[in-house]
Amino acid sequence: MAGYITYWPKEQIRNLEREKDKGPITVIFGSIHTKMPSIKSVKVGDIIYPVTLVNNSLYVVAKMPVEQIETAYEYLIRELGNRCGALPPEGINQNEYYNTPIRPHKCHQMPFNCCSETAAKSEHGTTIKLRPIPLDKIKELRFGSTKSKQKPLRIDKNGNPSILSVSSCVRKMSDETKIIFDSVFEEDSNIL
């Protein structure tokens, strides 16, 4: 099982806070835009970690083991009753379900960008909250599709990651990076 990060912009974090959505996280979307990058490389059994930057510090928002992958269109029609900006599959009337009332849902169940195409689902996601990656661990993080292609995040002179190094694409993490990411959830398991 591989680990991946996907970036959630500050607008999405504000929306989650405003709507008081603390999870547990049940779905992560991918789209054709860099603001919500594609998750087509993710497979059932992998783990996705949404991340964000707050005051130049890297935070892990949640941890979600992928239990099912489907089109965003199918997910949104079934769960929300409306396609909510999802790309309709070929041969589907683009206006079908577009103006129907949306069923009650949590904020994270609505894509934060248009043209969502993929939905990764889980019934075993964590709560949604900001969990900091310790600054001294940032230099140890490695991302890339294979071990030979893994690289560190680009960081500024203060050791903070750049937004470009965490946004615009879903990044597969090294096994060692996954251990660092998992460690920020240890406090959660001590509470339960």
Side-chain angles (χ1 to χ4, degrees):
M1 106 185 85
Y4 291 85
I5 62 168
T6 189
Y7 180 72
W8 282 4
K10 59 185 168 188
E11 301 86 35
Q12 174 64 353
I13 302 304
R14 270 190 247 132
N15 290 339
L16 292 166
E17 289 170 349
R18 186 180 65 247
E19 298 292 326
K20 298 179 178 28
D21 185 353
K22 297 184 186 303
I25 190 168
T26 58
V27 65
I28 294 173
F29 295 99
S31 80
I32 60 174
H33 296 295
T34 56
K35 187 173 181 180
M36 184 194 302
S38 174
I39 58 172
K40 287 185 175 182
S41 58
V42 175
K43 296 176 179 36
V44 170
D46 290 341
I47 298 176
I48 304 175
Y49 303 83
V51 299
T52 196
L53 291 175
V54 176
N55 298 325
N56 297 321
S57 295
L58 182 64
Y59 289 84
V60 184
V61 180
K63 174 182 175 180
M64 192 189 86
V66 177
E67 296 169 358
Q68 183 180 349
I69 298 173
E70 64 183 321
T71 68
Y73 183 89
E74 290 169 352
Y75 174 85
L76 292 165
I77 295 297
R78 184 184 64 253
E79 298 295 328
L80 277 62
N82 189 305
R83 71 181 184 100
C84 306
L87 290 173
E90 216 171 288
I92 297 288
N93 177 351
Q94 296 221 12
N95 294 319
E96 184 180 16
Y97 297 109
Y98 193 66
N99 293 315
T100 58
I102 298 175
R103 290 195 281 268
H105 62 282
K106 292 183 178 180
C107 180
H108 78 271
Q109 290 180 279
M110 176 80 79
F112 57 85
N113 196 22
C114 69
C115 302
S116 57
E117 58 182 352
T118 310
K121 290 181 38 187
S122 179
E123 292 185 19
H124 297 92
T126 66
T127 58
I128 296 172
K129 70 178 189 177
L130 298 180
R131 300 164 178 91
I133 293 287
L135 189 58
D136 63 325
K137 297 290 185 187
I138 298 292
K139 289 182 180 180
E140 297 176 33
L141 304 178
R142 299 289 182 271
F143 299 91
S145 57
T146 63
K147 195 159 187 75
S148 64
K149 292 183 180 180
Q150 290 172 351
K151 296 183 178 174
L153 296 174
R154 285 180 289 212
I155 56 174
D156 65 18
K157 62 183 178 187
N158 299 319
N160 298 312
S162 77
I163 192 163
L164 290 175
S165 65
V166 294
S167 66
S168 77
C169 66
V170 172
R171 298 191 183 275
K172 184 177 181 183
M173 60 180 60
S174 69
D175 292 340
E176 296 79 14
T177 297
K178 189 172 176 305
I179 291 169
I180 293 169
F181 270 66
D182 285 341
S183 71
V184 302
F185 291 91
E186 289 174 2
E187 183 180 305
D188 290 5
S189 62
N190 292 335
I191 293 171
L192 300 175

